[in-house]
Amino acid sequence: MYLPIKRDSENSTFGVFKSGSKYMAVDAGGGTIDITVHEVQDDETLKELHKADGGNWGGTKVDSSFRSLLASIVGNDVIETFTSDHKYDYLDLLRDFEIKKRTIQPSLSEKVTFKVPINLLETFRELNPGSNIKTVVTSNARYKNQLTWTGDKIRMEANLTKTLFDESCKKIVDHMHQLFRHPSVKDVSSILLVGGFAESPMLQEAVKEAFRNKKVIVPQDAGLAVLKGAVLYGHEPKTISARVCKCTYGIKTRRKFDKTIHPQSKRVLVDGVDWCEDIFDVHVSVGKLINVGEPQVKKEYIVVRDDQRSMSFSIYISNEKEPKFTTDVGCTCLGKLTIDLPDTSKGMDRGVFVHMTFSGTEITVTAVDKDDPTKTVSTNVDFLG
């Protein structure tokens, strides 16, 4: 939004951030790819159209492909021993590969030389006495005439080198294709490619080839774009006005036990009354569009004992749209808040209203005494680690 001019391949300018325009932001990092879709509003704030998602197809997948290539030549046992006994050499190998990785172009036609620590070759000789690395390479049908290994240098043909990017690029492109089939995403016209891996010419070309009818924008210093954006967002937290829930949010509670729907394992007896515990009471479901800063649905919770002097609420998230119990797979406790109810004169006719407010990097959960609205308790879940 802060780059004054966006240019496409024909050097004509266009406004990606005009009111009503939609774009897909693909954050291609080292480990994960995180994708979200935004629409620019009339007031220049951003509305999220699709919940953020992605997968572990980042730049380190290319590193793994290189490691797998080495392992297919010298054997997994050699690679395991080398990484265990020569950690610094292994880090040097990854560092050198990282530098070389950024220079590999789709138009590459010459052989590429990779430096490998001599200790890797020594480890191979120790575990395979009498074996010759050149013989091993030439006897491997996959690498014959494609790769040579001499001392601390490996020379690979251009086509073999480029295959190291195949798995990562294919999975990213396939996932983007899936997203573009979604009704709220299919008319998005621009793709914003950011993150460290976005600087790879191989990934850029793969995305441009797969989406020729879209404008693919790679900002200068793509690897720093996310960091800069986080700083700018810290100064202007109202930049994003609406988000799509990535998870389902709710409160752990109890309900009157119903043997037709509740399992016996969840049955507890409190003052002569049967309750079902660990109920996941949904407040906001995954995929729901929420306006940032607006309190969500308000729910009432009642005491379970007439002498109860406080109520505690555990806040949970789930990947499922309609989780039943907080003990289900994929449920995680985010935090807890407690509100005091010292006046027990009303016995069981007491309770608390609870609502959630999503704002920026935080969720605020608020509990209000239904008999005294001035008595409130709030807690923040900030997701910052």
Side-chain angles (χ1 to χ4, degrees), residues 2-74:
Y2 287 83
L3 297 176
I5 296 174
K6 320 292 186 304
R7 296 179 180 273
D8 63 14
S9 57
E10 296 171 356
N11 287 333
S12 60
T13 61
F14 56 92
V16 182
F17 295 99
K18 288 179 180 175
S19 174
S21 59
K22 302 176 182 180
Y23 65 91
M24 177 183 286
V26 181
D27 174 14
T32 61
I33 305 297
D34 300 294
I35 303 174
T36 189
V37 182
H38 288 152
E39 180 180 23
V40 183
Q41 305 297 286
D42 291 338
D43 59 359
E44 294 188 351
T45 61
L46 302 175
K47 172 184 175 182
E48 207 170 77
L49 297 178
H50 192 276
K51 70 183 181 74
D53 66 359
N56 59 336
W57 320 304
T60 52
K61 264 279 184 272
V62 184
D63 302 349
S64 297
S65 295
F66 183 59
R67 177 182 165 130
S68 297
L69 182 147
L70 294 176
S72 67
I73 297 171
V74 298

Side-chain angles (χ1 to χ4, degrees), residues 270-321:
V270 181
D271 291 348
V273 178
D274 284 331
W275 296 86
C276 180
E277 64 178 353
D278 297 329
I279 295 286
F280 193 122
D281 192 23
V282 175
H283 276 239
V284 183
S285 294
V286 59
K288 182 184 177 184
L289 181 69
I290 53 172
N291 292 322
V292 173
E294 284 188 11
Q296 300 302 303
V297 60
K298 187 182 291 184
K299 293 202 170 188
E300 182 182 357
Y301 299 91
I302 58 172
V303 295
V304 295
R305 298 190 310 273
D306 56 11
D307 62 344
Q308 192 171 330
R309 302 178 70 86
S310 67
M311 291 183 74
S312 294
F313 301 95
S314 295
I315 306 147
Y316 274 80
I317 61 168
S318 171
N319 296 323
E320 301 297 322
K321 191 164 188 175

Side-chain angles (χ1 to χ4, degrees), residues 231-243:
V231 175
L232 290 165
Y233 180 65
H235 287 283
E236 292 288 344
K238 294 180 180 178
T239 301
I240 297 177
S241 58
R243 289 188 181 275

Side-chain angles (χ1 to χ4, degrees), residues 250-253 266 277-281 314 316-317 323-333:
I251 297 293
K252 176 181 175 180
T253 188
K266 297 293 182 184
E277 64 178 353
D278 297 329
I279 295 286
F280 193 122
D281 192 23
S314 295
Y316 274 80
I317 61 168
K324 292 183 178 179
F325 301 103
T326 55
T327 53
D328 291 349
V329 174
C331 293
T332 305
C333 182

Side-chain angles (χ1 to χ4, degrees), residues 29-305:
T32 61
I33 305 297
D34 300 294
I35 303 174
T36 189
V37 182
H38 288 152
E39 180 180 23
V40 183
Q41 305 297 286
D42 291 338
D43 59 359
E44 294 188 351
T45 61
L46 302 175
K47 172 184 175 182
E48 207 170 77
L49 297 178
H50 192 276
K51 70 183 181 74
D53 66 359
N56 59 336
W57 320 304
T60 52
K61 264 279 184 272
V62 184
D63 302 349
S64 297
S65 295
F66 183 59
R67 177 182 165 130
S68 297
L69 182 147
L70 294 176
S72 67
I73 297 171
V74 298
N76 276 314
D77 57 336
V78 173
I79 295 295
E80 292 295 334
T81 304
F82 169 70
T83 55
S84 174
D85 295 351
H86 304 281
K87 291 184 176 67
Y88 289 112
D89 284 340
Y90 180 59
L91 289 174
D92 282 340
L93 173 67
L94 292 180
R95 198 176 294 117
D96 290 338
F97 179 74
E98 178 68 27
I99 295 168
K100 186 72 71 172
K101 183 174 72 175
R102 293 169 183 260
T103 66
I104 296 168
Q105 304 268 354
S107 59
L108 180 72
S109 58
E110 312 89 33
K111 289 182 179 181
V112 181
T113 302
F114 294 98
K115 185 179 178 184
V116 291
I118 198 68
N119 275 324
L120 177 56
L121 195 54
E122 292 298 325
T123 305
F124 168 76
R125 288 169 179 161
E126 288 171 13
L127 297 181
N128 300 276
S131 292
N132 184 293
I133 194 68
K134 289 184 180 180
T135 306
V136 171
V137 171
T138 53
S139 63
N140 190 317
R142 181 183 171 190
Y143 303 123
K144 192 175 182 181
N145 303 322
Q146 293 286 308
L147 181 151
T148 56
W149 189 332
T150 307
D152 64 347
K153 299 283 193 306
I154 291 178
R155 282 177 63 78
M156 290 166 52
E157 292 291 340
N159 287 338
L160 178 60
T161 304
K162 288 186 279 191
T163 61
L164 298 174
F165 293 81
D166 286 353
E167 182 185 4
S168 178
C169 290
K170 184 180 185 304
K171 287 188 174 178
I172 294 169
V173 167
D174 286 350
H175 189 71
M176 291 171 67
H177 275 302
Q178 289 178 21
L179 288 180
F180 276 117
R181 294 190 190 105
H182 198 278
S184 62
V185 182
K186 62 183 179 182
D187 61 340
V188 170
S189 59
S190 301
I191 298 170
L192 192 59
L193 205 55
V194 298
F197 191 34
E199 294 183 3
S200 165
M202 293 295 292
L203 178 61
Q204 293 177 17
E205 183 65 20
V207 173
K208 288 175 181 176
E209 276 292 312
F211 304 100
R212 292 186 177 186
N213 60 333
K214 311 284 184 186
K215 291 188 175 77
V216 179
I217 305 137
V218 185
Q220 193 172 8
D221 296 327
L224 291 175
V226 178
L227 175 62
K228 290 177 179 178
V231 175
L232 290 165
Y233 180 65
H235 287 283
E236 292 288 344
K238 294 180 180 178
T239 301
I240 297 177
S241 58
R243 289 188 181 275
V244 176
C245 274
K246 190 177 181 180
C247 302
T248 293
Y249 300 84
I251 297 293
K252 176 181 175 180
T253 188
R254 287 175 175 171
R255 288 196 181 132
K256 291 283 180 67
F257 187 82
D258 182 345
K259 63 181 180 182
T260 62
I261 59 173
H262 296 144
Q264 282 292 328
S265 60
K266 297 293 182 184
R267 186 175 185 172
V268 291
L269 187 67
V270 181
D271 291 348
V273 178
D274 284 331
W275 296 86
C276 180
E277 64 178 353
D278 297 329
I279 295 286
F280 193 122
D281 192 23
V282 175
H283 276 239
V284 183
S285 294
V286 59
K288 182 184 177 184
L289 181 69
I290 53 172
N291 292 322
V292 173
E294 284 188 11
Q296 300 302 303
V297 60
K298 187 182 291 184
K299 293 202 170 188
E300 182 182 357
Y301 299 91
I302 58 172
V303 295
V304 295
R305 298 190 310 273

